[in-house]
Amino acid sequence: EAGVAQSPRYKIIEKRQSVAFWCNPISGHATLYWYQQILGQGPKLLIQFQNNGVVDDSQLPKDRFSAERLKGVDSTLKIQPAKLEDSAVYLCASRRTGDSEQYFGPGTRLTVT
Amino acid sequence: AQKITQTQPGMFVQEKEAVTLDCTYDTSDPSYGLFWYKQPSSGEMIFLIYQGSYDQQNATEGRYSLNFQKARKSANLVISASQLGDSAMYFCAMRDDAGGTSYGKLTFGQGTILTVHP
């Protein structure tokens, strides 16, 4: 079974530019999560999808961050415009309904200069 | 609100010895799940072990065991027979099982860096 796929793995942009990250969850996993992990900290949930609907986006900075999962499979997270403090690893995770564990992708390391 | 505390920023252990990584949590929900993840320098989060709040026995997965003390709200990870490849960051996390809109959300601690010496 293929794991959670993310791309790109690394991205360097200047502040005020925009960037998009892509995630393809494990096949059959209805729940998809985007986490932000700032260096030296634990991951923090940005948004949670159940199929193509948003379940929790309470910690998503909606003035600059957006995410979608239009067909209930893969998902895109966008930042526009980026700030220096957005430098972090963005982790995508998925979970099968009824299971306990979330499976994480390799992450996208974003550097904003 | 849920809170996870890992008080050990770094731990050192000799190869082949056992090590305990501490984790305490705070929640008012009677139903919750506790997880440990390993994050090597490559960055991926690797699931290690899970303990449900109603599980009577401590969870074990190979060399990993979770010392669950519900009354003390602690969920320490024990790694037996440490290996050089165990050197990594370790995160304790709690899942909200209260249902509603936040079901499944993980709250992570700050992490503990484990270094295994040969």
Side-chain angles (χ1 to χ4, degrees):
Chain A
E1 181 177 67
V4 177
Q6 289 188 248
S7 67
R9 292 295 315 277
Y10 305 91
K11 189 74 176 178
I12 301 174
I13 62 172
E14 295 182 352
K15 59 184 179 183
R16 291 187 289 273
Q17 287 186 326
S18 61
V19 64
F21 313 129
W22 175 81
C23 171
N24 194 25
I26 294 173
S27 177
H29 285 199
T31 309
L32 185 148
Y33 310 82
W34 283 102
Y35 290 87
Q36 180 193 57
Q37 185 178 19
I38 293 173
L39 185 65
Q41 300 181 17
K44 181 187 78 172
L45 180 73
L46 291 176
I47 189 166
Q48 174 183 343
F49 291 95
Q50 181 72 20
N51 296 308
N52 62 350
V54 175
V55 173
D56 184 353
D57 63 357
S58 58
Q59 297 195 84
L60 187 73
K62 299 182 187 63
D63 57 334
R64 299 183 300 106
F65 285 65
S66 65
E68 59 184 17
R69 193 185 184 198
L70 294 176
K71 297 182 179 179
V73 180
D74 58 344
S75 175
T76 302
L77 176 70
K78 297 179 181 177
I79 308 175
Q80 181 180 6
K83 292 185 176 181
L84 295 177
E85 58 260 37
D86 298 332
S87 294
V89 175
Y90 290 84
L91 294 162
C92 179
S94 70
R95 182 179 64 86
R96 187 190 311 274
T97 302
D99 284 358
S100 298
E101 58 267 29
Q102 297 179 20
Y103 294 94
F104 284 79
T108 296
R109 185 177 298 276
L110 173 67
T111 302
V112 182
T113 63
Chain B
Q2 297 184 330
K3 186 177 180 181
I4 295 282
T5 303
Q6 295 179 253
T7 58
Q8 307 156 313
M11 288 286 286
F12 296 89
V13 66
Q14 206 72 26
E15 191 178 10
K16 299 179 185 178
E17 293 185 347
V19 63
T20 298
L21 306 183
D22 294 342
C23 173
T24 58
Y25 60 91
D26 189 23
T27 181
S28 57
D29 297 322
S31 178
Y32 51 89
L34 296 159
F35 299 77
W36 278 92
Y37 282 86
K38 172 184 178 182
Q39 188 175 44
S41 56
S42 53
E44 74 269 31
M45 296 284 283
I46 302 169
F47 167 74
L48 296 178
I49 197 167
Y50 164 77
Q51 179 87 38
S53 59
Y54 294 117
D55 293 343
Q56 295 296 315
Q57 293 190 329
N58 287 342
T60 59
E61 289 285 349
R63 295 187 299 111
Y64 305 107
S65 61
L66 199 152
N67 185 1
F68 181 46
Q69 298 187 43
K70 196 170 184 177
R72 297 179 59 186
K73 294 188 174 180
S74 73
N76 298 339
L77 176 70
V78 180
I79 305 174
S80 62
S82 297
Q83 302 172 356
L84 295 178
D86 293 336
S87 293
M89 177 75 91
Y90 288 80
F91 288 100
C92 180
M94 173 185 288
R95 183 189 67 208
D96 183 348
D97 281 0
T101 60
S102 58
Y103 180 76
K105 167 186 172 181
L106 288 180
T107 302
F108 286 83
Q110 293 288 87
T112 297
I113 299 175
L114 176 66
T115 303
V116 181
H117 289 303

